[in-house]
Amino acid sequence: MERDRVLRVLSDRVAEGRMSHETFERRVDQVLRAQSQSELADIVHDLPPTNRVVNRLTSLISSVSQVTARVEAAWRAPRLPRFMLPPSGLTRIVVGRAPGCQFILTDLTVSRFHAEIYRGDEGWMISDLGSMNGTRVNGWRLTGPARVRPGDEVGFGNSSFIVAAP
């Protein structure tokens, strides 16, 4: 427990710019070799105490950076075409390249009979029909049936769509 606390103190100080990277590495090595509480205390005895203002400022900058990164990622994300779920009269759609499919894609990474979307007891479900390049929901390749809702991203081979309600 004490070893973890000392490592946290060291990482905080290097993050604040109060210690060089070489000093940080040397002291981490000392922490890992320390055999007693006093040896651990000697490793951090000369470091200045933590500053609440610096801690708050660092956490504020970190949270703003995370928000900025999310906004930039959303802005750069490709605008995908919509895949409209069928109206209440239709309960099954087969996706693929074959003329017999209800949703035909001309992409060669899509199998002839690629996937099936059907209405189950708990809502719309999607399952792969043994396609070569797989079916994905929100980036995850299907290994069995999965529920699909408006707003989900579905992918068939290299083709991707955003699910929308009728």
Side-chain angles (χ1 to χ4, degrees), residues 70-126:
R70 281 192 217 127
V71 168
E72 285 178 357
W75 184 257
R76 290 184 181 145
R79 306 298 184 254
L80 298 175
R82 301 212 178 273
F83 180 89
M84 292 295 276
L85 291 171
S88 59
L90 193 60
T91 59
R92 180 177 183 258
I93 299 173
V94 176
V95 178
R97 288 192 344 255
C101 295
Q102 287 79 23
F103 189 72
I104 299 173
L105 295 170
T106 58
D107 184 344
L108 292 177
T109 62
V110 175
S111 298
R112 289 181 53 236
F113 297 98
H114 195 97
E116 174 184 35
I117 299 173
Y118 58 94
R119 190 185 307 267
D121 294 336
E122 57 274 349
W124 287 101
M125 303 292 291
I126 186 170

Short mmCIF file of all heavy atoms in Angstrom, two decimals, residues 70-126:
data_model
loop_
_atom_site.label_atom_id
_atom_site.label_comp_id
_atom_site.label_asym_id
_atom_site.label_seq_id
_atom_site.Cartn_x
_atom_site.Cartn_y
_atom_site.Cartn_z
N ARG A 70 -13.44 14.18 -27.64
CA ARG A 70 -14.70 13.54 -28.04
C ARG A 70 -15.41 14.34 -29.13
O ARG A 70 -15.93 13.78 -30.09
CB ARG A 70 -15.61 13.36 -26.83
CG ARG A 70 -15.23 12.21 -25.98
CD ARG A 70 -16.33 11.91 -24.97
NE ARG A 70 -15.69 11.51 -23.75
CZ ARG A 70 -15.89 12.03 -22.56
NH1 ARG A 70 -16.77 12.98 -22.40
NH2 ARG A 70 -15.24 11.61 -21.51
N VAL A 71 -15.43 15.67 -28.98
CA VAL A 71 -16.08 16.52 -29.98
C VAL A 71 -15.35 16.41 -31.32
O VAL A 71 -15.98 16.28 -32.38
CB VAL A 71 -16.15 17.99 -29.50
CG1 VAL A 71 -16.55 18.92 -30.62
CG2 VAL A 71 -17.11 18.11 -28.33
N GLU A 72 -14.02 16.45 -31.29
CA GLU A 72 -13.25 16.31 -32.53
C GLU A 72 -13.49 14.97 -33.19
O GLU A 72 -13.63 14.88 -34.41
CB GLU A 72 -11.75 16.49 -32.25
CG GLU A 72 -11.36 17.93 -32.00
CD GLU A 72 -9.88 18.07 -31.68
OE1 GLU A 72 -9.16 17.05 -31.59
OE2 GLU A 72 -9.43 19.21 -31.53
N ALA A 73 -13.54 13.89 -32.40
CA ALA A 73 -13.79 12.55 -32.96
C ALA A 73 -15.17 12.49 -33.59
O ALA A 73 -15.34 11.93 -34.68
CB ALA A 73 -13.65 11.49 -31.87
N ALA A 74 -16.16 13.06 -32.93
CA ALA A 74 -17.52 13.05 -33.49
C ALA A 74 -17.59 13.89 -34.76
O ALA A 74 -18.27 13.53 -35.72
CB ALA A 74 -18.52 13.58 -32.45
N TRP A 75 -16.88 15.00 -34.79
CA TRP A 75 -16.89 15.88 -35.95
C TRP A 75 -16.23 15.21 -37.15
O TRP A 75 -16.68 15.34 -38.28
CB TRP A 75 -16.17 17.18 -35.62
CG TRP A 75 -16.23 18.16 -36.74
CD1 TRP A 75 -15.24 18.47 -37.62
CD2 TRP A 75 -17.35 18.97 -37.12
NE1 TRP A 75 -15.66 19.40 -38.51
CE2 TRP A 75 -16.96 19.73 -38.23
CE3 TRP A 75 -18.64 19.11 -36.63
CZ2 TRP A 75 -17.82 20.62 -38.85
CZ3 TRP A 75 -19.48 20.00 -37.26
CH2 TRP A 75 -19.06 20.74 -38.34
N ARG A 76 -15.16 14.46 -36.90
CA ARG A 76 -14.42 13.81 -37.98
C ARG A 76 -15.03 12.49 -38.42
O ARG A 76 -14.66 11.94 -39.44
CB ARG A 76 -12.99 13.56 -37.56
CG ARG A 76 -12.20 14.83 -37.43
CD ARG A 76 -10.77 14.55 -37.11
NE ARG A 76 -10.06 15.81 -36.98
CZ ARG A 76 -9.09 16.02 -36.14
NH1 ARG A 76 -8.68 15.05 -35.36
NH2 ARG A 76 -8.52 17.18 -36.08
N ALA A 77 -15.95 11.95 -37.62
CA ALA A 77 -16.56 10.66 -37.95
C ALA A 77 -17.31 10.77 -39.27
O ALA A 77 -17.95 11.78 -39.55
CB ALA A 77 -17.51 10.23 -36.84
N PRO A 78 -17.22 9.73 -40.08
CA PRO A 78 -17.93 9.78 -41.37
C PRO A 78 -19.43 9.81 -41.14
O PRO A 78 -19.95 9.23 -40.20
CB PRO A 78 -17.50 8.49 -42.07
CG PRO A 78 -17.05 7.59 -40.98
CD PRO A 78 -16.54 8.47 -39.88
N ARG A 79 -20.12 10.51 -42.01
CA ARG A 79 -21.58 10.57 -41.94
C ARG A 79 -22.11 9.34 -42.67
O ARG A 79 -21.99 9.24 -43.89
CB ARG A 79 -22.11 11.85 -42.59
CG ARG A 79 -21.52 13.13 -42.04
CD ARG A 79 -21.82 13.31 -40.55
NE ARG A 79 -21.33 14.57 -40.04
CZ ARG A 79 -20.27 14.70 -39.26
NH1 ARG A 79 -19.58 13.65 -38.91
NH2 ARG A 79 -19.90 15.88 -38.83
N LEU A 80 -22.62 8.40 -41.92
CA LEU A 80 -23.06 7.14 -42.50
C LEU A 80 -24.49 7.24 -43.03
O LEU A 80 -25.32 7.95 -42.46
CB LEU A 80 -22.98 6.03 -41.45
CG LEU A 80 -21.58 5.73 -40.92
CD1 LEU A 80 -21.65 4.71 -39.80
CD2 LEU A 80 -20.68 5.24 -42.03
N PRO A 81 -24.79 6.48 -44.09
CA PRO A 81 -26.17 6.45 -44.59
C PRO A 81 -27.07 5.75 -43.57
O PRO A 81 -26.62 4.99 -42.73
CB PRO A 81 -26.07 5.65 -45.89
CG PRO A 81 -24.78 4.91 -45.81
CD PRO A 81 -23.89 5.67 -44.89
N ARG A 82 -28.36 6.00 -43.68
CA ARG A 82 -29.33 5.43 -42.75
C ARG A 82 -29.84 4.08 -43.25
O ARG A 82 -30.02 3.88 -44.44
CB ARG A 82 -30.50 6.37 -42.56
CG ARG A 82 -30.08 7.72 -42.03
CD ARG A 82 -31.16 8.30 -41.15
NE ARG A 82 -30.74 9.57 -40.58
CZ ARG A 82 -30.05 9.68 -39.46
NH1 ARG A 82 -29.71 8.62 -38.80
NH2 ARG A 82 -29.71 10.86 -39.00
N PHE A 83 -30.05 3.18 -42.31
CA PHE A 83 -30.70 1.90 -42.58
C PHE A 83 -32.04 1.97 -41.86
O PHE A 83 -32.09 1.91 -40.64
CB PHE A 83 -29.86 0.74 -42.05
CG PHE A 83 -30.50 -0.61 -42.28
CD1 PHE A 83 -30.26 -1.31 -43.44
CD2 PHE A 83 -31.36 -1.16 -41.34
CE1 PHE A 83 -30.84 -2.53 -43.65
CE2 PHE A 83 -31.95 -2.38 -41.55
CZ PHE A 83 -31.70 -3.07 -42.72
N MET A 84 -33.11 2.16 -42.63
CA MET A 84 -34.44 2.30 -42.03
C MET A 84 -35.01 0.93 -41.67
O MET A 84 -35.07 0.04 -42.52
CB MET A 84 -35.40 3.00 -43.00
CG MET A 84 -35.06 4.45 -43.26
SD MET A 84 -35.24 5.46 -41.79
CE MET A 84 -36.96 5.81 -41.85
N LEU A 85 -35.40 0.79 -40.41
CA LEU A 85 -36.09 -0.43 -40.01
C LEU A 85 -37.44 -0.45 -40.73
O LEU A 85 -38.04 0.59 -40.96
CB LEU A 85 -36.29 -0.46 -38.50
CG LEU A 85 -35.00 -0.63 -37.68
CD1 LEU A 85 -35.28 -0.44 -36.20
CD2 LEU A 85 -34.39 -2.00 -37.93
N PRO A 86 -37.91 -1.65 -41.07
CA PRO A 86 -39.16 -1.72 -41.86
C PRO A 86 -40.37 -1.32 -41.02
O PRO A 86 -40.36 -1.41 -39.80
CB PRO A 86 -39.23 -3.18 -42.29
CG PRO A 86 -38.38 -3.90 -41.34
CD PRO A 86 -37.33 -2.95 -40.86
N PRO A 87 -41.45 -0.92 -41.70
CA PRO A 87 -42.69 -0.63 -40.99
C PRO A 87 -43.25 -1.90 -40.35
O PRO A 87 -42.76 -3.00 -40.60
CB PRO A 87 -43.63 -0.09 -42.07
CG PRO A 87 -43.01 -0.51 -43.36
CD PRO A 87 -41.56 -0.71 -43.13
N SER A 88 -44.28 -1.76 -39.56
CA SER A 88 -44.79 -2.86 -38.75
C SER A 88 -45.26 -4.07 -39.57
O SER A 88 -45.31 -5.18 -39.07
CB SER A 88 -45.92 -2.38 -37.85
OG SER A 88 -46.95 -1.82 -38.64
N GLY A 89 -45.59 -3.92 -40.82
CA GLY A 89 -46.08 -5.03 -41.62
C GLY A 89 -45.01 -6.05 -41.98
O GLY A 89 -45.28 -7.23 -42.12
N LEU A 90 -43.77 -5.63 -42.13
CA LEU A 90 -42.67 -6.51 -42.52
C LEU A 90 -41.92 -6.96 -41.27
O LEU A 90 -41.57 -6.15 -40.43
CB LEU A 90 -41.74 -5.76 -43.47
CG LEU A 90 -40.70 -6.56 -44.24
CD1 LEU A 90 -41.39 -7.60 -45.13
CD2 LEU A 90 -39.89 -5.63 -45.12
N THR A 91 -41.67 -8.26 -41.15
CA THR A 91 -41.03 -8.77 -39.93
C THR A 91 -39.64 -9.34 -40.18
O THR A 91 -38.98 -9.74 -39.23
CB THR A 91 -41.89 -9.87 -39.28
OG1 THR A 91 -42.08 -10.92 -40.22
CG2 THR A 91 -43.22 -9.32 -38.83
N ARG A 92 -39.19 -9.38 -41.45
CA ARG A 92 -37.89 -9.99 -41.74
C ARG A 92 -37.29 -9.33 -42.98
O ARG A 92 -37.98 -9.12 -43.97
CB ARG A 92 -38.07 -11.47 -42.00
CG ARG A 92 -36.81 -12.22 -42.32
CD ARG A 92 -37.12 -13.72 -42.47
NE ARG A 92 -35.92 -14.47 -42.71
CZ ARG A 92 -35.53 -14.92 -43.90
NH1 ARG A 92 -36.26 -14.69 -44.95
NH2 ARG A 92 -34.42 -15.59 -44.02
N ILE A 93 -35.98 -9.02 -42.90
CA ILE A 93 -35.23 -8.47 -44.03
C ILE A 93 -33.96 -9.28 -44.16
O ILE A 93 -33.25 -9.48 -43.17
CB ILE A 93 -34.84 -7.00 -43.78
CG1 ILE A 93 -36.05 -6.12 -43.61
CG2 ILE A 93 -33.97 -6.48 -44.90
CD1 ILE A 93 -35.69 -4.71 -43.21
N VAL A 94 -33.66 -9.72 -45.37
CA VAL A 94 -32.38 -10.38 -45.64
C VAL A 94 -31.51 -9.37 -46.37
O VAL A 94 -31.94 -8.73 -47.34
CB VAL A 94 -32.57 -11.66 -46.47
CG1 VAL A 94 -31.21 -12.27 -46.82
CG2 VAL A 94 -33.42 -12.66 -45.71
N VAL A 95 -30.27 -9.20 -45.89
CA VAL A 95 -29.31 -8.27 -46.46
C VAL A 95 -28.28 -9.07 -47.23
O VAL A 95 -27.77 -10.08 -46.72
CB VAL A 95 -28.62 -7.45 -45.35
CG1 VAL A 95 -27.58 -6.51 -45.94
CG2 VAL A 95 -29.63 -6.69 -44.53
N GLY A 96 -27.95 -8.64 -48.45
CA GLY A 96 -26.93 -9.32 -49.22
C GLY A 96 -26.84 -8.80 -50.64
O GLY A 96 -27.48 -7.82 -51.00
N ARG A 97 -26.07 -9.52 -51.47
CA ARG A 97 -25.89 -9.13 -52.88
C ARG A 97 -26.88 -9.82 -53.80
O ARG A 97 -27.07 -9.40 -54.94
CB ARG A 97 -24.47 -9.46 -53.34
CG ARG A 97 -23.41 -8.57 -52.79
CD ARG A 97 -22.05 -8.74 -53.49
NE ARG A 97 -21.90 -9.93 -54.29
CZ ARG A 97 -21.19 -11.00 -53.95
NH1 ARG A 97 -20.56 -11.03 -52.80
NH2 ARG A 97 -21.10 -12.04 -54.76
N ALA A 98 -27.49 -10.90 -53.35
CA ALA A 98 -28.37 -11.70 -54.22
C ALA A 98 -29.66 -10.94 -54.55
O ALA A 98 -30.17 -10.17 -53.73
CB ALA A 98 -28.71 -13.02 -53.54
N PRO A 99 -30.21 -11.17 -55.75
CA PRO A 99 -31.47 -10.49 -56.13
C PRO A 99 -32.64 -10.82 -55.22
O PRO A 99 -33.57 -10.04 -55.11
CB PRO A 99 -31.72 -11.00 -57.56
CG PRO A 99 -30.44 -11.52 -58.04
CD PRO A 99 -29.65 -11.96 -56.84
N GLY A 100 -32.60 -11.95 -54.53
CA GLY A 100 -33.71 -12.33 -53.65
C GLY A 100 -33.71 -11.63 -52.30
O GLY A 100 -34.63 -11.81 -51.51
N CYS A 101 -32.71 -10.82 -52.01
CA CYS A 101 -32.62 -10.12 -50.72
C CYS A 101 -33.55 -8.90 -50.72
O CYS A 101 -33.78 -8.28 -51.76
CB CYS A 101 -31.19 -9.67 -50.45
SG CYS A 101 -30.04 -11.04 -50.24
N GLN A 102 -34.06 -8.56 -49.56
CA GLN A 102 -34.90 -7.36 -49.43
C GLN A 102 -34.04 -6.08 -49.40
O GLN A 102 -34.51 -5.01 -49.76
CB GLN A 102 -35.77 -7.43 -48.18
CG GLN A 102 -36.91 -8.41 -48.26
CD GLN A 102 -36.45 -9.85 -48.03
OE1 GLN A 102 -35.43 -10.09 -47.42
NE2 GLN A 102 -37.22 -10.79 -48.55
N PHE A 103 -32.79 -6.18 -48.93
CA PHE A 103 -31.88 -5.04 -48.89
C PHE A 103 -30.63 -5.47 -49.65
O PHE A 103 -29.82 -6.23 -49.14
CB PHE A 103 -31.57 -4.66 -47.44
CG PHE A 103 -30.82 -3.38 -47.29
CD1 PHE A 103 -31.43 -2.16 -47.52
CD2 PHE A 103 -29.48 -3.38 -46.91
CE1 PHE A 103 -30.72 -0.96 -47.38
CE2 PHE A 103 -28.77 -2.20 -46.76
CZ PHE A 103 -29.39 -0.99 -47.00
N ILE A 104 -30.48 -4.99 -50.88
CA ILE A 104 -29.40 -5.43 -51.75
C ILE A 104 -28.26 -4.42 -51.70
O ILE A 104 -28.46 -3.22 -51.88
CB ILE A 104 -29.90 -5.59 -53.20
CG1 ILE A 104 -30.99 -6.65 -53.24
CG2 ILE A 104 -28.74 -5.95 -54.13
CD1 ILE A 104 -31.67 -6.79 -54.59
N LEU A 105 -27.04 -4.95 -51.46
CA LEU A 105 -25.82 -4.14 -51.47
C LEU A 105 -24.92 -4.66 -52.58
O LEU A 105 -24.78 -5.88 -52.74
CB LEU A 105 -25.10 -4.24 -50.13
CG LEU A 105 -25.85 -3.65 -48.94
CD1 LEU A 105 -25.16 -4.01 -47.63
CD2 LEU A 105 -25.93 -2.15 -49.08
N THR A 106 -24.31 -3.78 -53.34
CA THR A 106 -23.45 -4.19 -54.46
C THR A 106 -21.99 -4.30 -54.04
O THR A 106 -21.14 -4.59 -54.88
CB THR A 106 -23.59 -3.21 -55.63
OG1 THR A 106 -23.26 -1.90 -55.18
CG2 THR A 106 -25.00 -3.25 -56.20
N ASP A 107 -21.67 -4.08 -52.80
CA ASP A 107 -20.31 -4.17 -52.28
C ASP A 107 -19.84 -5.62 -52.33
O ASP A 107 -20.51 -6.52 -51.83
CB ASP A 107 -20.30 -3.64 -50.84
CG ASP A 107 -18.92 -3.59 -50.23
OD1 ASP A 107 -17.99 -4.20 -50.77
OD2 ASP A 107 -18.78 -2.92 -49.19
N LEU A 108 -18.66 -5.87 -52.93
CA LEU A 108 -18.15 -7.24 -53.05
C LEU A 108 -17.73 -7.85 -51.72
O LEU A 108 -17.53 -9.06 -51.64
CB LEU A 108 -16.98 -7.28 -54.04
CG LEU A 108 -17.36 -7.00 -55.50
CD1 LEU A 108 -16.12 -7.00 -56.38
CD2 LEU A 108 -18.37 -8.01 -55.99
N THR A 109 -17.60 -7.04 -50.65
CA THR A 109 -17.28 -7.60 -49.33
C THR A 109 -18.53 -8.11 -48.63
O THR A 109 -18.45 -8.67 -47.54
CB THR A 109 -16.59 -6.55 -48.43
OG1 THR A 109 -17.48 -5.46 -48.22
CG2 THR A 109 -15.29 -6.07 -49.06
N VAL A 110 -19.69 -7.91 -49.25
CA VAL A 110 -20.96 -8.39 -48.72
C VAL A 110 -21.28 -9.71 -49.40
O VAL A 110 -21.20 -9.84 -50.62
CB VAL A 110 -22.09 -7.36 -48.98
CG1 VAL A 110 -23.44 -7.89 -48.54
CG2 VAL A 110 -21.77 -6.05 -48.27
N SER A 111 -21.63 -10.72 -48.60
CA SER A 111 -21.97 -12.04 -49.15
C SER A 111 -23.31 -11.99 -49.86
O SER A 111 -24.10 -11.07 -49.67
CB SER A 111 -22.02 -13.07 -48.01
OG SER A 111 -20.76 -13.19 -47.40
N ARG A 112 -23.59 -13.05 -50.64
CA ARG A 112 -24.87 -13.10 -51.37
C ARG A 112 -26.04 -13.03 -50.40
O ARG A 112 -26.99 -12.29 -50.61
CB ARG A 112 -24.92 -14.36 -52.22
CG ARG A 112 -23.97 -14.27 -53.40
CD ARG A 112 -23.98 -15.47 -54.32
NE ARG A 112 -25.31 -15.78 -54.78
CZ ARG A 112 -25.90 -16.97 -54.61
NH1 ARG A 112 -25.26 -17.95 -54.02
NH2 ARG A 112 -27.11 -17.17 -55.05
N PHE A 113 -26.01 -13.83 -49.36
CA PHE A 113 -27.00 -13.77 -48.28
C PHE A 113 -26.20 -13.51 -47.01
O PHE A 113 -25.69 -14.44 -46.39
CB PHE A 113 -27.81 -15.07 -48.19
CG PHE A 113 -28.62 -15.32 -49.43
CD1 PHE A 113 -28.17 -16.17 -50.42
CD2 PHE A 113 -29.84 -14.67 -49.59
CE1 PHE A 113 -28.91 -16.39 -51.57
CE2 PHE A 113 -30.60 -14.89 -50.74
CZ PHE A 113 -30.13 -15.74 -51.73
N HIS A 114 -26.06 -12.26 -46.64
CA HIS A 114 -25.11 -11.82 -45.63
C HIS A 114 -25.68 -11.86 -44.21
O HIS A 114 -25.09 -12.43 -43.31
CB HIS A 114 -24.64 -10.40 -45.97
CG HIS A 114 -23.41 -9.99 -45.22
ND1 HIS A 114 -22.17 -10.07 -45.77
CD2 HIS A 114 -23.26 -9.51 -43.98
CE1 HIS A 114 -21.28 -9.65 -44.89
NE2 HIS A 114 -21.92 -9.30 -43.79
N ALA A 115 -26.81 -11.21 -44.00
CA ALA A 115 -27.36 -11.09 -42.65
C ALA A 115 -28.88 -11.03 -42.72
O ALA A 115 -29.47 -10.80 -43.78
CB ALA A 115 -26.83 -9.83 -41.96
N GLU A 116 -29.48 -11.24 -41.56
CA GLU A 116 -30.94 -11.20 -41.46
C GLU A 116 -31.31 -10.27 -40.30
O GLU A 116 -30.73 -10.34 -39.23
CB GLU A 116 -31.45 -12.61 -41.18
CG GLU A 116 -32.92 -12.69 -40.90
CD GLU A 116 -33.36 -14.09 -40.53
OE1 GLU A 116 -32.59 -14.82 -39.88
OE2 GLU A 116 -34.49 -14.44 -40.89
N ILE A 117 -32.27 -9.41 -40.56
CA ILE A 117 -32.81 -8.55 -39.52
C ILE A 117 -34.28 -8.93 -39.37
O ILE A 117 -35.01 -8.97 -40.36
CB ILE A 117 -32.66 -7.06 -39.90
CG1 ILE A 117 -31.17 -6.73 -40.05
CG2 ILE A 117 -33.32 -6.17 -38.85
CD1 ILE A 117 -30.89 -5.35 -40.56
N TYR A 118 -34.67 -9.25 -38.16
CA TYR A 118 -36.03 -9.74 -37.94
C TYR A 118 -36.57 -9.18 -36.63
O TYR A 118 -35.83 -8.79 -35.74
CB TYR A 118 -36.07 -11.27 -37.93
CG TYR A 118 -35.16 -11.90 -36.89
CD1 TYR A 118 -35.65 -12.24 -35.63
CD2 TYR A 118 -33.82 -12.14 -37.17
CE1 TYR A 118 -34.82 -12.82 -34.68
CE2 TYR A 118 -32.99 -12.70 -36.23
CZ TYR A 118 -33.49 -13.04 -34.99
OH TYR A 118 -32.67 -13.59 -34.05
N ARG A 119 -37.90 -9.18 -36.54
CA ARG A 119 -38.56 -8.67 -35.34
C ARG A 119 -38.72 -9.85 -34.37
O ARG A 119 -39.36 -10.84 -34.67
CB ARG A 119 -39.91 -8.07 -35.67
CG ARG A 119 -40.54 -7.32 -34.51
CD ARG A 119 -41.95 -6.84 -34.83
NE ARG A 119 -42.04 -6.07 -36.06
CZ ARG A 119 -41.96 -4.73 -36.12
NH1 ARG A 119 -41.79 -4.04 -35.02
NH2 ARG A 119 -42.08 -4.11 -37.27
N GLY A 120 -38.09 -9.73 -33.19
CA GLY A 120 -38.20 -10.74 -32.14
C GLY A 120 -39.13 -10.26 -31.04
O GLY A 120 -39.71 -9.17 -31.12
N ASP A 121 -39.24 -11.06 -29.99
CA ASP A 121 -40.10 -10.69 -28.86
C ASP A 121 -39.61 -9.41 -28.18
O ASP A 121 -40.39 -8.60 -27.71
CB ASP A 121 -40.14 -11.82 -27.83
CG ASP A 121 -40.84 -13.05 -28.38
OD1 ASP A 121 -41.65 -12.89 -29.33
OD2 ASP A 121 -40.57 -14.16 -27.88
N GLU A 122 -38.28 -9.21 -28.12
CA GLU A 122 -37.72 -8.04 -27.44
C GLU A 122 -37.38 -6.89 -28.38
O GLU A 122 -36.74 -5.94 -27.98
CB GLU A 122 -36.50 -8.44 -26.61
CG GLU A 122 -35.40 -9.11 -27.38
CD GLU A 122 -35.59 -10.63 -27.52
OE1 GLU A 122 -36.43 -11.22 -26.86
OE2 GLU A 122 -34.86 -11.20 -28.32
N GLY A 123 -37.79 -6.96 -29.63
CA GLY A 123 -37.54 -5.89 -30.59
C GLY A 123 -36.81 -6.43 -31.81
O GLY A 123 -36.82 -7.63 -32.08
N TRP A 124 -36.17 -5.53 -32.55
CA TRP A 124 -35.46 -5.91 -33.76
C TRP A 124 -34.17 -6.62 -33.41
O TRP A 124 -33.41 -6.18 -32.54
CB TRP A 124 -35.18 -4.69 -34.63
CG TRP A 124 -36.41 -4.19 -35.31
CD1 TRP A 124 -37.17 -3.13 -34.93
CD2 TRP A 124 -37.03 -4.75 -36.45
NE1 TRP A 124 -38.24 -3.00 -35.77
CE2 TRP A 124 -38.17 -3.99 -36.72
CE3 TRP A 124 -36.75 -5.83 -37.27
CZ2 TRP A 124 -39.03 -4.26 -37.79
CZ3 TRP A 124 -37.60 -6.11 -38.33
CH2 TRP A 124 -38.72 -5.33 -38.58
N MET A 125 -33.90 -7.73 -34.10
CA MET A 125 -32.71 -8.54 -33.90
C MET A 125 -31.96 -8.63 -35.23
O MET A 125 -32.55 -8.50 -36.29
CB MET A 125 -33.08 -9.95 -33.43
CG MET A 125 -33.92 -10.01 -32.17
SD MET A 125 -33.03 -9.47 -30.72
CE MET A 125 -31.87 -10.80 -30.52
N ILE A 126 -30.65 -8.87 -35.13
CA ILE A 126 -29.83 -9.05 -36.33
C ILE A 126 -28.97 -10.28 -36.12
O ILE A 126 -28.49 -10.53 -35.01
CB ILE A 126 -28.98 -7.79 -36.62
CG1 ILE A 126 -28.24 -7.92 -37.94
CG2 ILE A 126 -28.02 -7.51 -35.48
CD1 ILE A 126 -27.58 -6.63 -38.40
#
